[in-house]
Amino acid sequence: MSTSVAVSGATGRLGALVCEIVESDPDFTLTARLTSASAPDDGADATILVDVSHPEASPAIVERALRRGQRVIVGTSGWSAERLAELQRIVNELPGAAALVVPNFSLGSVLGTALARIAAPFFDSVEIIEAHHPGKVDSPSGTAVRTAELIADARSGKPIDAPFAEQTARGELIAGIPVHSLRLAGVVAKQEVRFGGAGEVLTITHDTHSNAAYGPGIRAALRAAGELDGLVVGLDRVLGIGSAAGAASAADADATEGAA
């Protein structure tokens, strides 16, 4: 028996792709294409709700779905640490609730962020540059925010060297890391994490050339949804990358402290 799926934000770039993937997979059935004009209860009978709507609308959509017992996959940007903390509170209130928040469905992006997390303990200087198409309404991107937060976490409270951070042109500070956002025609998505050290720079770059890059990640998220327990943040957790990167960065930090 196939699993029923409703997609919120179905007419957007990512929403249209999610719908296409669901319809092409015999294990899933698309039961609702939801837009800003849809009624609050539309799609309520689906087992899984995929929310790829708008940052302002997303929290209410997700909470409503969780409270009616749906398993939720969130691909909408704008889920900061504060929003995730509130989502964790809601999930804790609801026995059996499950939500997967995915800042980026691209496997390459997930791996790039994992590599940045591993490198983080070794460099005090780090900045992030992200670029997206002109239609992306939020900045910094959810991927950049998540990357900055994971880098800061991997450093275990050790401060980032960000000179002149108070200047507007230095970018927005996310977890102490300057993040610079570009919105350009001809770009789908790109992120660079630049680490600076004595006499060297390490750059971790990921380029998305088409929406096809998101397909494998969307499929992985859909297949993981049935096994979710509580709140899970990041496709890396689904793929088993997050735990490996976390263990590596912890070991790196211990080694660095031991050598000091």
Side-chain angles (χ1 to χ4, degrees), residues 1-259:
M1 181 179 294
S2 64
T3 301
S4 56
V5 180
V7 178
S8 178
T11 58
R13 287 172 178 241
L14 188 55
L17 178 61
V18 174
C19 290
E20 179 183 325
I21 288 172
V22 171
E23 289 185 314
S24 67
D25 194 319
D27 291 333
F28 299 96
T29 300
L30 183 64
T31 59
R33 297 173 183 261
L34 308 177
T35 69
S36 58
S38 299
D41 290 334
D42 288 352
D45 57 343
T47 301
I48 299 172
L49 174 77
V50 181
D51 174 57
V52 284
S53 57
H54 188 281
E56 293 182 4
S58 184
I61 292 170
V62 171
E63 180 175 0
R64 190 161 56 239
L66 287 171
R67 293 194 181 281
R68 63 194 180 201
Q70 292 177 298
R71 309 183 81 76
V72 180
I73 299 171
V74 186
T76 305
S77 287
W79 283 85
S80 62
E82 292 77 14
R83 279 192 173 185
L84 289 172
E86 175 61 15
L87 181 57
Q88 182 70 73
R89 183 191 66 78
I90 294 169
V91 168
N92 290 344
E93 286 181 1
L94 304 170
L100 171 62
V101 178
V102 183
N104 198 309
F105 285 103
S106 160
L107 303 186
S109 176
V110 172
L111 286 165
T113 296
L115 291 172
R117 188 178 179 188
I118 292 171
F122 294 102
F123 297 90
D124 292 335
S125 180
V126 55
E127 307 208 8
I128 297 172
I129 305 165
E130 60 94 356
H132 282 80
H133 57 86
K136 185 169 179 59
V137 298
D138 62 312
S139 60
S141 68
T143 302
V145 170
R146 180 65 175 164
T147 301
E149 291 172 346
L150 287 175
I151 288 172
D153 180 68
R155 293 177 57 77
S156 302
K158 187 179 179 182
I160 298 291
D161 181 14
F164 310 111
E166 74 283 357
Q167 297 178 5
T168 304
R170 293 288 290 114
E172 180 177 346
L173 282 181
I174 303 293
I177 299 170
V179 180
H180 311 267
S181 296
L182 311 178
R183 297 294 175 263
L184 296 172
V187 175
V188 176
K190 179 173 184 174
Q191 177 168 286
E192 293 184 13
V193 183
R194 297 188 183 182
F195 293 97
E200 63 179 348
V201 172
L202 171 65
T203 302
I204 299 172
T205 302
H206 175 257
D207 281 288
T208 301
H209 298 295
S210 78
N211 284 349
Y214 306 126
I218 292 170
R219 293 185 184 91
L222 286 168
R223 297 195 181 284
E227 306 299 325
L228 291 180
D229 180 24
L231 174 62
V232 177
V233 181
L235 192 63
D236 54 333
R237 299 279 301 280
V238 170
L239 300 173
I241 298 169
S243 57
S249 61
D252 293 341
D254 290 343
T256 301
E257 291 174 5

